Amino acid sequence: MVGRDAVLDELADALDGPPGSAGRAALITGNRGIGKTVVLNEAEALARERGWLVLSETATDGLVDRITADGLPELADLLRQSPASRPRVRGISLPGGLGGVDLDLPQEQGPGGLRRQLNAITDLLDEHDTGIMITIDEVHARGARDDVAQLAAVVQHAFREDRPVAFAAAGLPAAVQDLLTADVSTFLRRARRFVLEPLSPVAAEEALRVPIIEAGRQVGPDEVARMAEATYGYPYLVQVVGDRAWRQDPSSEAITADHVARGIDDAVREAGFALHEPAVNDLSDTDRKFLAAMAVDTTGESAISDIEARLDRDHGYVSRYRSRLIVAGVVEPSRRGYLRFTIPYLAEFLRARVDYL
Ligand SMILES: Nc1ncnc2c1ncn2[C@@H]1O[C@H](COP(=O)(O)OP(=O)(O)O)[C@@H](O)[C@H]1O
Ligand SMILES: [Mg+2]
């Protein structure tokens, strides 16, 4: 974990502070591969370390019913088991004395059921000075909008009643913005926003160098700088570039310029599977043609007027697809009249597959 101390410190403070502390409702946004899910997982770990219960979900259709039918009932079961007989559930440690409790969880579904279940659980947790963290990944998913709105309303209500609840959600920037302006919930709109940015070059270099040195191999400053540059500060790429450079010849004492060059090539190929394909697969044929028209440019950005000319379409048509692709988190405005890809190496990926487009 590098470069996310500020976010995690604030989330930890919110857990240690009183109900309603600002960071107890957090909305984490950033591009694909920037580390949103990792931050959510770390937030969950912070909660568990403090003896909190954690309900970890992804926003897909049926979210609310999943929570009321499975998520909360499972946590309730855990609370009912005596501490001694409780199976060792990974990472869960309830505060001393909690367990073997008599907890009556309403069997009801829907938002009403969710509210009553959460009340029953938080009444109990509050008595034991602990709480529950709810995390929702991919919160922007369109298919789950109603569910997210219902959940947010219930959590908002719990906040108003000073219940020990923390809520953290993560999603793609423009899609989350879309969700917020769609009037889904004032609660989400007021949540503490954390925009995850690429790591600074210094942080990326450190993230690459330290594990290599600690594992007993050598690497020179030029090699580290070259690797860091190739990551664009994306934690995903830091991970993969470091790993692939390492693997070129684990028996050699030092990681050489040649290992680095080949490692970067391997990492970029790997990113094709892990980042680029998933981002492009969800798109329509027309979206992809739009991206292919952008990928022609090798300068790092594309003029909207050039895209119009290449697609032979008018401004209105191109504007519509431009907006769609921004919400999909694949492109972003670089300056007025220009677009660029959000994900490093996506242009190269697309250029290598014009046939597939
Ligand atoms: N802060 C970090 N430090 C080290 N590695 C990270 C960090 N954030 C993310 N990663 C790595 O990058 C990968 C992608 O992160 P992830 O959280 O899945 O991105 P996102 O959810 O934003 O698409 C992770 O699997 C992990 O290997
Ligand atoms: Mg993710």
Side-chain angles (χ1 to χ4, degrees):
M1 243 343 241
V2 280
R4 303 301 182 211
D5 292 352
V7 185
L8 295 172
D9 285 351
E10 199 170 322
L11 295 177
D13 284 349
L15 290 173
D16 295 333
S21 299
R24 280 208 182 178
L27 195 47
I28 297 150
T29 61
N31 292 333
R32 280 190 184 78
I34 208 84
K36 298 179 295 299
T37 301
V38 166
V39 167
L40 274 190
N41 294 342
E42 287 298 313
E44 291 163 9
L46 291 173
R48 289 196 176 102
E49 280 164 19
R50 287 164 172 74
W52 283 47
L53 292 180
V54 171
L55 181 65
S56 168
E57 277 285 348
T58 299
T60 52
D61 195 23
L63 172 69
V64 167
D65 285 344
R66 246 186 352 266
I67 295 175
T68 50
D70 304 327
L72 290 177
E74 277 165 21
L75 291 178
D77 281 344
L78 200 71
L79 292 168
R80 289 190 198 101
Q81 284 152 17
S82 73
S85 70
R86 183 184 301 138
R88 300 235 8 119
V89 179
R90 188 171 54 94
I92 295 193
S93 59
L94 295 174
L98 197 49
V101 298
D102 188 15
L103 172 61
D104 193 18
L105 197 71
Q107 287 298 301
E108 199 185 329
Q109 308 296 296
L114 177 60
R115 184 157 148 188
R116 273 179 280 281
Q117 288 188 348
L118 194 61
N119 286 354
I121 288 188
T122 50
D123 279 346
L124 178 76
L125 295 175
D126 206 12
E127 281 171 29
H128 292 81
D129 274 332
T130 179
I132 178 169
M133 170 179 275
I134 301 173
T135 67
I136 307 293
D137 205 354
E138 310 286 334
V139 70
H140 57 264
R142 277 193 164 262
R145 241 182 212 189
D146 290 347
D147 280 81
V148 167
Q150 288 165 0
L151 172 64
V154 170
V155 173
Q156 176 169 31
H157 199 264
F159 269 58
R160 281 211 202 101
E161 294 185 337
D162 283 340
R163 291 179 178 278
V165 176
F167 177 84
L172 296 171
V176 164
Q177 199 49 51
D178 221 37
L179 173 81
L180 298 182
T181 47
D183 204 32
V184 157
S185 132
T186 48
F187 170 71
L188 280 182
R189 218 172 295 145
R190 287 199 214 113
R192 177 80 177 84
R193 294 284 286 275
F194 296 98
V195 181
L196 299 189
E197 303 283 356
L199 304 174
S200 69
V202 173
E205 289 191 10
E206 177 158 321
L208 288 157
R209 181 172 14 87
V210 171
I212 293 171
I213 303 298
E214 280 181 355
R217 292 180 71 192
Q218 316 263 300
V219 61
D222 291 349
E223 283 69 36
V224 172
R226 176 69 199 100
M227 286 192 283
E229 186 188 26
T231 67
Y232 293 91
Y234 270 59
Y236 169 77
L237 287 167
V238 169
Q239 197 90 5
V240 188
V241 166
D243 178 68
R244 295 305 187 272
W246 174 282
R247 286 200 209 183
Q248 296 302 319
D249 183 6
S251 68
S252 121
E253 193 191 342
I255 293 183
T256 64
D258 179 51
H259 297 159
V260 164
R262 283 189 285 141
I264 291 170
D265 284 348
D266 286 358
V268 169
R269 207 168 309 122
E270 183 62 34
F273 298 112
L275 290 183
H276 305 136
E277 251 178 35
V280 173
N281 274 347
D282 296 341
L283 302 174
S284 73
D285 287 349
T286 316
D287 290 327
R288 289 184 201 176
K289 288 204 175 69
F290 189 113
L291 297 182
M294 277 178 68
V296 172
D297 294 302
T298 52
T299 54
E301 62 177 1
S302 302
I304 303 281
S305 54
D306 288 342
I307 300 171
E308 286 167 17
R310 286 169 198 158
L311 293 174
D312 194 19
R313 295 287 185 169
D314 64 24
H315 191 67
Y317 177 96
V318 167
S319 291
R320 216 166 44 248
Y321 280 92
R322 170 189 176 277
S323 305
R324 279 166 55 102
L325 288 164
I326 289 175
V327 169
V330 183
V331 305
E332 62 193 3
S334 50
R335 56 189 164 121
R336 205 179 152 73
Y338 285 81
L339 282 178
R340 66 178 168 218
F341 293 108
T342 55
I343 310 170
Y345 304 108
L346 181 57
E348 290 83 344
F349 174 85
L350 293 167
R351 282 200 288 274
R353 300 191 178 204
V354 272
D355 49 332
Y356 155 91
L357 299 163

